[in-house]
Amino acid sequence: MKTNYQEAADYVLSKINGSPETAIILGSGLGALADKIANATVIPYCEIPHFVSSTAAGHKGNLICGNLGGKQVLVMQGRFHYYEGYTMQQVTFPIRAMKLIGVKNLFVSNAAGGINNAFKVGDLMIIRDHINMLPNPLLGKNDETFGTRFPDMTRAYDREFIEYMERIAALQGIPLKKGVYVGLTGPSYETPAEYAFYGKAGGDAIGMSTVPEVIVARHAGLRVFGMSVITNEGYHFADDFVNNGDDVVKAANQAADKMTMLFTGLIAEIG
C-alpha cells in the first residue's frame, strides 16, 4: 500500500507546482468553494493512480490545486464514503497520499443533520469532537511510516485552529455553533429514535463521513479542523417531515459562501 500512496502522490506532484501544506475536503453540496480557488489545476479522481470514484450527489470528483487565502491549497471536490461500497482503506486513501505530498493541515467539511435542538438549517458548526460509529480505518497491520499503533485522539480537532476560527467568524459577523459530530455508516437516514439516542449520547450533529478521514489524518500527524453545515433538523419530526438528499445539497450550497470566507480566513491565519 505504501507504494500505492507514493504513486498517487507522485502523480499529483507532477501536475502541480509547489507543495501545498493545507488540504480541504468538501462535503455534500460544498463543492462551490472550489470555484473560489485562483490559478486552479483540476485533476479528476479517475486520473489519479489508486483513487476511486466519488458517486454521491454533490461530489464532483476532482482534486484541485491553487491559491486560497494567499496560500497554495489542495482541495478534494467530493469525498469517498463507506456506504458507496468502498473499504475504509479506499475511503481514507487520499489522506495518506496528501501526507506524502507534503500536506500538514487538513480541513474537513460535511453536511450534517442537527441533533441539538438549538441548531437550525443553515447553521455552521465547528466540530470540537466526534463519536465514531463507523469501522475504524486503522484496523489491521499498522504502517509505522505514517504513525504509531495507538494514536491519541483526545485532541483530534486542533484547539488552536478552533480558536482562530472563532475569532475570524466574530470579526466577519458570522455566527457559529460548536459541537460533537456523530459518524454513522449510512446510506439510510437515521430514524427519529436514532436521532434521539445519539443526542442523549452527546452528539450535536450526525452524518455519514469525516470521522475516518480525521482518524487517519491524526494517525499521520496532520493538524485537523472540521466544520459541519446543518442541513436538516433531526430533532424535529412534523407529520410531513422526511429526509431528502436534494434538500441536503441545497442547504449546503446556500452555506458555501460563508464557509469559503471562513476557510479562507483560517488559511491566511495559520500561514
Side-chain angles (χ1 to χ4, degrees):
M1 285 297 293
K2 180 66 181 294
T3 300
N4 292 352
Y5 297 130
Q6 192 65 60
E7 288 177 355
D10 289 345
Y11 181 83
V12 173
L13 287 168
S14 74
K15 298 293 183 179
I16 66 175
N17 294 317
S19 179
E21 293 189 357
T22 298
I24 305 171
I25 300 178
L26 300 176
S28 298
L30 296 168
L33 184 152
D35 298 334
K36 307 296 184 181
I37 297 172
N39 303 315
T41 298
V42 180
I43 311 172
Y45 292 161
C46 61
E47 296 181 2
I48 304 173
H50 313 294
F51 267 52
V52 293
S53 299
S54 184
T55 67
H59 294 251
K60 291 188 176 180
N62 294 316
L63 188 67
I64 302 174
C65 184
N67 297 319
L68 188 69
K71 304 294 190 299
Q72 188 180 38
V73 296
L74 196 63
V75 177
M76 286 186 66
Q77 196 176 26
R79 56 160 49 91
F80 312 132
H81 302 83
Y82 187 64
Y83 67 70
E84 294 175 87
Y86 297 128
T87 66
M88 275 299 169
Q89 286 66 39
Q90 291 171 313
V91 168
T92 59
F93 183 92
I95 310 304
R96 285 178 170 167
M98 289 175 182
K99 171 71 173 181
L100 297 177
I101 288 169
V103 168
K104 298 178 181 178
N105 312 307
L106 178 67
F107 299 174
V108 290
S109 66
N110 59 58
I115 303 174
N116 189 318
N117 60 15
F119 291 1
K120 304 297 182 184
V121 171
D123 283 348
L124 298 178
M125 183 193 85
I126 293 175
I127 304 175
R128 65 171 181 82
D129 204 348
H130 68 234
I131 297 172
N132 182 33
M133 300 302 295
L134 289 142
N136 194 301
L138 301 181
L139 289 171
K141 185 178 179 180
N142 185 56
D143 188 339
E144 293 289 339
T145 62
F146 284 106
T148 181
R149 168 80 281 184
F150 302 107
D152 176 53
M153 296 297 291
T154 55
R155 296 170 183 82
Y157 300 87
D158 194 279
R159 295 179 182 179
E160 187 176 32
F161 286 178
I162 290 173
E163 290 177 2
Y164 288 160
M165 182 58 81
E166 289 177 323
R167 184 166 66 246
I168 291 164
L171 289 172
Q172 295 188 8
I174 298 175
L176 295 179
K177 305 293 187 181
K178 187 161 61 175
V180 176
Y181 177 84
V182 183
L184 276 72
T185 65
S188 56
Y189 287 112
E190 297 75 30
T191 68
E194 288 170 331
Y195 278 119
F197 176 83
Y198 289 108
K200 291 177 181 177
D204 294 290
I206 198 163
M208 307 172 189
S209 67
T210 303
V211 176
E213 299 153 351
V214 172
I215 291 172
V216 170
R218 293 300 302 132
H219 178 253
L222 304 186
R223 299 177 71 182
V224 174
F225 176 82
M227 180 171 282
S228 296
V229 179
I230 304 303
T231 52
N232 59 293
E233 297 167 4
Y235 57 84
H236 176 67
F237 292 95
D239 290 342
D240 59 349
F241 175 85
V242 293
N243 271 313
N244 183 287
D246 292 337
D247 290 342
V248 167
V249 173
K250 181 179 178 181
N253 279 332
Q254 292 173 345
D257 286 344
K258 288 191 292 184
M259 184 172 285
T260 298
M261 287 190 290
L262 293 171
F263 276 21
T264 300
L266 183 56
I267 290 166
E269 181 74 23
I270 65 177

